[in-house]
Amino acid sequence: MNIFNWIRRDTPQLSAAQQQRLAALPAAAALSDAPLARQRLVVLDLETSGLNLQRDQLLAIGAVVIEGGAIDFSQQFECTLHRAGHKASASTLIHGIAPSAIAAGTDPVEALLAFMEFLGDSPLLAFHAGFDQHMLARALRESLGYRLRHAFLDVAELAPLLCPQLTLRRAGLDDWLAHFHLQAAERHNASADALATAELALILFSKARQQQLDSLLALDQRLQGWRRRQRMPAI
């Protein structure tokens, strides 16, 4: 194959209007030392065709906003992406998104542009954030040629950090929700899981303030030390 044909095929083709929207996206904000109650945070959950970081596709995005120290129900995002030729697989039994819904979904370029406009410059929260960060970054790169630079905080790390007395260190979202008597309206639904994660995050932020950790910057710095300790061999 001619290398120039490969480059043209692999470069996202955006309309002039889409290019303008892409260029207008704000730069990601750095983690701030402002109080948590003054932060706008976007809590994200993704549904994918599987767990392979290189092969599987992003199928749905769900997100809610924490602002002013509470969940702002006027700011929510939900979208299923169109994926040509998508077929049912084992993951369909988990996320429940039928191939017909994906066939009728939103064009990935439009879906991802809309999400990034919704996100703005805000930091992101997710449960097991590394997976969501990688899958979102890959989708943005492939569909928009966009490099994701937004900060991610992992609620799966914040929970054991801020609740060291508990024995749920490697627990999943269901375990933490059960511990705090929270319920997800529908598990493995992107919007419902994002809302449940946001509710859990607010409880954790309350615990953070009790520990004099009242900013995203302070939480991130404490997390870095926590990660180093987790990697240390047991004596």
Side-chain angles (χ1 to χ4, degrees), residues 25-76:
L25 294 176
L31 292 179
S32 168
D33 60 1
L36 292 170
R38 289 171 49 194
Q39 294 288 314
R40 181 184 188 267
L41 303 167
V42 174
V43 186
L44 172 72
D45 189 79
L46 306 178
E47 297 300 335
T48 64
S49 60
L51 299 178
N52 188 297
L53 293 171
Q54 305 305 323
R55 184 183 65 244
D56 286 308
Q57 292 181 307
L58 173 59
L59 301 181
I61 304 172
V64 298
V65 169
I66 294 176
E67 192 164 22
I71 298 170
D72 183 351
F73 289 97
S74 70
Q75 299 186 69
Q76 298 187 62

Side-chain angles (χ1 to χ4, degrees), residues 24-32 38-43 65-67 75 113-125 146 148-152 216:
L25 294 176
L31 292 179
S32 168
R38 289 171 49 194
Q39 294 288 314
R40 181 184 188 267
L41 303 167
V42 174
V43 186
V65 169
I66 294 176
E67 192 164 22
Q75 299 186 69
L113 276 173
F115 175 71
M116 294 306 296
E117 290 165 341
F118 172 84
L119 174 62
D121 66 354
S122 299
L124 288 144
L125 292 176
Y146 179 91
L148 182 67
R149 297 180 182 272
H150 291 64
F152 268 79
L216 295 177

Side-chain angles (χ1 to χ4, degrees), residues 192-210:
D193 282 354
L195 179 57
T197 302
E199 292 172 344
L200 174 59
L202 289 176
I203 292 174
L204 296 174
F205 288 166
S206 176
K207 293 186 176 297
R209 283 188 286 268
Q210 294 170 12

Side-chain angles (χ1 to χ4, degrees), residues 74-134:
S74 70
Q75 299 186 69
Q76 298 187 62
F77 186 92
E78 182 174 14
C79 187
T80 298
L81 281 67
H82 171 78
R83 296 298 188 185
H86 176 80
K87 298 179 180 178
S89 65
S91 65
T92 305
L93 298 175
I94 299 173
H95 56 62
I97 307 174
S100 58
I102 294 169
T106 303
D107 173 72
V109 169
E110 287 295 320
L112 290 163
L113 276 173
F115 175 71
M116 294 306 296
E117 290 165 341
F118 172 84
L119 174 62
D121 66 354
S122 299
L124 288 144
L125 292 176
F127 198 93
H128 291 149
F131 179 81
D132 294 274
Q133 183 175 18
H134 185 99

Side-chain angles (χ1 to χ4, degrees), residues 139-224:
L140 288 166
R141 184 177 66 250
E142 292 175 353
S143 292
L144 302 179
Y146 179 91
R147 183 175 179 183
L148 182 67
R149 297 180 182 272
H150 291 64
F152 268 79
L153 288 176
D154 192 347
V155 178
E157 291 183 323
L158 289 175
L161 167 71
L162 297 170
C163 305
Q165 74 282 6
L166 300 180
T167 58
L168 299 175
R169 297 181 186 279
R170 297 186 182 277
L173 179 58
D174 287 323
D175 300 300
W176 286 105
L177 294 178
H179 175 77
F180 289 113
H181 307 291
L182 300 172
Q183 291 185 337
E186 183 183 353
R187 283 290 280 118
H188 302 295
N189 170 279
S191 295
D193 282 354
L195 179 57
T197 302
E199 292 172 344
L200 174 59
L202 289 176
I203 292 174
L204 296 174
F205 288 166
S206 176
K207 293 186 176 297
R209 283 188 286 268
Q210 294 170 12
Q211 299 173 42
Q212 287 73 55
L213 297 170
D214 192 21
S215 73
L216 295 177
L217 185 60
L219 278 173
D220 186 61
Q221 291 171 345
R222 184 68 63 87
L223 269 175
Q224 291 180 35

